[in-house]
């Protein structure tokens, strides 16, 4: 079970790099608040997972170079996409992770709070992209996640 939490943590590090690249390079400057909020979701989730990893003596690094390089590399593949195509791509990319992390949360017999966080995190990102796909702002969904978990 702890390996799943570690894998999710690595996904946060990846996401930080991925969304940071978009924040710094995407042509639609009007989307910077969205990118920055996505980065905040990733950072907050990683920070909240760290005590669980430490409790289980799992080594972790928010600046894991392999994950940072992978996140940036993948972002570079999609940075050229127009907004609607990008949103559609990201929605379909996130969907299977959202399903998988919900399943993990349902199967968890220990560290249930960590698994709920992981699932809620992915659901917030998925719902954000679905809103954007429907030409609505995904920001309120992300901000709601941040508000819920910032107090922990």
């Amino acid at each position: 079970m702890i390996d799943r939490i570690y894998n999710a943590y690595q996904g946060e590090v990846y996401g930080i790099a991925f969304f940071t690249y978009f924040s710094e390079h995407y042509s639609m400057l009007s989307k910077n608040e969205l990118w920055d909020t996505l980065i905040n979701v990733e950072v907050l989730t990683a920070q909240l997972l760290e005590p669980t990893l430490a409790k289980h003596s799992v080594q972790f690094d928010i600046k894991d170079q392999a994950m940072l390089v992978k996140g940036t590399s993948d972002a570079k593949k999609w940075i050229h996409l127009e907004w609607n195509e990008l949103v559609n791509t990201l929605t379909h990319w996130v969907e299977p992770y959202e399903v998988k992390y919900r399943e993990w949360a349902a199967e968890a017999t220990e560290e249930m709070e960590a698994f709920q966080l992981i699932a809620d995190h992915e659901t917030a990102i998925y719902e954000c992209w679905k809103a954007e796909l429907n030409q609505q702002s995904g920001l309120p969904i992300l901000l709601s996640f941040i508000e819920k978990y910032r107090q922990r």
Side-chain angles (χ1 to χ4, degrees):
M1 284 272 178
I2 196 66
D3 59 322
R4 288 181 171 184
I5 296 171
Y6 178 72
N7 287 337
Y9 180 85
Q10 291 290 91
E12 308 317 314
V13 175
Y14 170 96
I16 292 166
F18 184 89
F19 294 129
T20 297
Y21 190 83
F22 272 92
S23 177
E24 295 172 354
H25 297 94
Y26 196 64
S27 60
M28 285 180 69
L29 297 179
S30 63
K31 297 303 179 183
N32 278 358
E33 185 179 7
L34 178 64
W35 298 125
D36 292 344
T37 305
L38 284 158
I39 294 164
N40 290 337
V41 166
E42 300 286 359
V43 169
L44 176 62
T45 304
Q47 289 171 339
L48 291 173
L49 290 175
E50 288 174 356
T52 302
L53 294 171
K55 181 172 86 175
H56 291 275
S57 301
V58 174
Q59 297 293 315
F60 57 88
D61 182 4
I62 195 75
K63 296 187 187 285
D64 181 301
Q65 284 304 300
M67 294 311 293
L68 294 175
V69 167
K70 184 171 174 25
T72 300
S73 174
D74 286 351
K76 287 178 179 179
K77 294 175 189 172
W78 294 345
I79 196 72
H80 68 281
L81 296 178
E82 293 298 322
W83 182 247
N84 291 336
E85 186 180 358
L86 177 62
V87 169
N88 186 51
T89 300
L90 290 172
T91 303
H92 289 93
W93 181 52
V94 169
E95 185 176 18
Y97 290 100
E98 195 274 341
V99 171
K100 176 168 72 171
Y101 294 159
R102 284 271 153 230
E103 289 171 356
W104 285 6
E107 296 168 359
T109 57
E110 59 183 271
E111 302 297 354
M112 272 91 83
E113 285 185 26
F115 282 106
Q116 190 62 53
L117 166 65
I118 293 164
D120 288 352
H121 160 270
E122 206 65 27
T123 297
I125 293 174
Y126 178 58
E127 292 296 328
C128 164
W129 290 124
K130 284 193 346 187
E132 293 286 338
L133 197 58
N134 292 316
Q135 278 129 29
Q136 299 171 0
S137 175
L139 274 172
I141 296 162
L142 299 175
L143 293 171
S144 177
F145 171 87
I146 290 169
E147 182 65 27
K148 176 180 178 179
Y149 281 98
R150 182 178 283 151
Q151 301 167 3
R152 296 184 181 202

